[in-house]
Amino acid sequence: MPWFAAAAFCLTVAGLYVGFFMAPTDAQQGDGYRIIFLHVPVSWMSMFIYVVMAFWAAVGLIFNSRLSAMMASALAPTGAMFAFLSLWTGALWGKPMWGTWWVWDARLTSELILLFLYMGFMALQSAIDDQRRADKAGAVLALVGVVNIPVIYFSVQWWNTLHQGASVSLTQAPSMATIMLIGMLLMALAAWMYTIAVALMRVRCIILEREYRTAWVNDLKEIRQ
Amino acid sequence: MNWTNPNEFFAMGGYATYVWGSVGVTVLVLYAECLFLLKRRKTALAHVKRDAALGAEDSK
């Protein structure tokens, strides 16, 4: 876990250096485009985290394993935070480039729904006292909400949106300068490492909170000293 | 190198509010999340310790 945190830190420094010092000024958007180095990684992450969360929720539901449900709950706050940051940085980018903070565009609206899904998941889990039932209810919500992910991803193709199409895809060469791409990918990797570190840290807290009566928790060296 | 002096860097070609507004809020939110997590861990550990101490007393 400290390794992931350290990796996240180093990658962020490297990514910001590439993004803010090496990458050239954009021909159309000037230096305003530099928001991309935050906006794209946090948006990707907000979607990935949801998929991973739904995966753990499904595992927990099918095999009735406690740790998978804890993993799902550990991911939700970080996912919500990234969804919020995606909307925030998007608004600050939209204002100078599109002339508006917000439009009810398919991409933006579906990302907002994602934020509400995360918040709904957390609210539902904390509203039910019985932990096992809370896990199950949350898992069902997470699984239903996963249909929103392809909607977000493909929204720019399915509808005529103000949001631009994907700059990076698996099938085509990316439509951006290599140095910009490197900066963005470094930041995306940093976001991954950050998420892994934080989610593992949070799942440890959840285990302590839920399993505090078990002998093995009482035998941990953090407790005995 | 794009910037000839620090002022130019902080001005971000006139987009300072937007660029630094994004960076600032992102850093703030990530930092807050880490702080909350550390606090949560402390509280959880203290809770387990208290519970364990009570349990040890009961079994005496």
Side-chain angles (χ1 to χ4, degrees), chain B:
Chain B
M1 185 61 83
N2 300 297
W3 322 100
T4 48
N5 61 57
N7 283 339
E8 213 175 286
F9 175 70
F10 289 115
M12 272 293 143
Y15 292 108
T17 326
Y18 305 107
V19 174
W20 298 121
S22 301
V23 175
V25 170
T26 306
V27 170
L28 202 77
V29 172
L30 295 184
Y31 182 70
E33 186 184 28
C34 292
L35 274 189
F36 279 124
L37 256 183
L38 288 177
K39 216 180 127 208
R40 185 172 177 181
R41 179 173 163 79
K42 254 180 142 176
T43 314
L45 279 174
H47 183 229
V48 180
K49 270 187 190 166
R50 211 168 41 235
D51 194 72
L54 284 174
E57 243 169 59
D58 285 347
S59 56
K60 259 180 209 163

Side-chain angles (χ1 to χ4, degrees), chain A residues 26 29 34 37 55 58 60 66 69 76 79 107 134 142-143 155 163 186:
Chain A
D26 187 70
Q29 303 196 350
R34 288 182 201 278
F37 298 112
F55 167 78
R66 279 180 298 181
R107 177 52 77 80
L143 283 172
S155 57
H163 196 286
L186 279 172

Side-chain angles (χ1 to χ4, degrees), chain A residues 61-124:
Chain A
L61 207 54
I62 296 165
F63 299 109
N64 214 6
S65 48
R66 279 180 298 181
L67 192 58
S68 359
M70 293 186 205
M71 230 13 244
S73 343
L75 283 162
T78 306
M81 190 202 69
F82 277 124
F84 163 75
L85 283 176
S86 166
L87 293 168
W88 178 270
T89 55
L92 281 173
W93 200 358
K95 184 63 184 168
M97 302 307 162
W98 299 340
T100 175
W101 302 104
W102 179 261
V103 278
W104 291 103
D105 159 289
R107 177 52 77 80
L108 279 65
T109 309
S110 51
E111 181 74 22
L112 183 66
I113 292 173
L114 182 70
L115 176 61
F116 289 157
L117 279 171
Y118 279 124
M119 298 203 300
F121 177 86
M122 291 189 283
L124 185 63

Side-chain angles (χ1 to χ4, degrees), chain A residues 170-211:
Chain A
L170 294 174
T171 46
Q172 290 162 355
S175 58
M176 62 196 311
T178 318
I179 191 75
M180 294 181 187
L181 186 69
I182 292 173
M184 217 169 77
L185 292 180
L186 279 172
M187 291 303 279
L189 261 175
W192 267 103
M193 294 301 135
Y194 173 85
T195 305
I196 295 172
V198 170
L200 288 179
M201 183 79 187
R202 187 174 290 114
V203 85
R204 294 200 335 172
C205 294
I206 296 176
I207 293 171
L208 284 176
E209 285 160 9
R210 290 197 192 176
E211 311 277 312

Side-chain angles (χ1 to χ4, degrees), chain A residues 4 36 41 129 173 179 191 203:
Chain A
F4 287 115
I36 199 175
D129 284 333
I179 191 75
V203 85

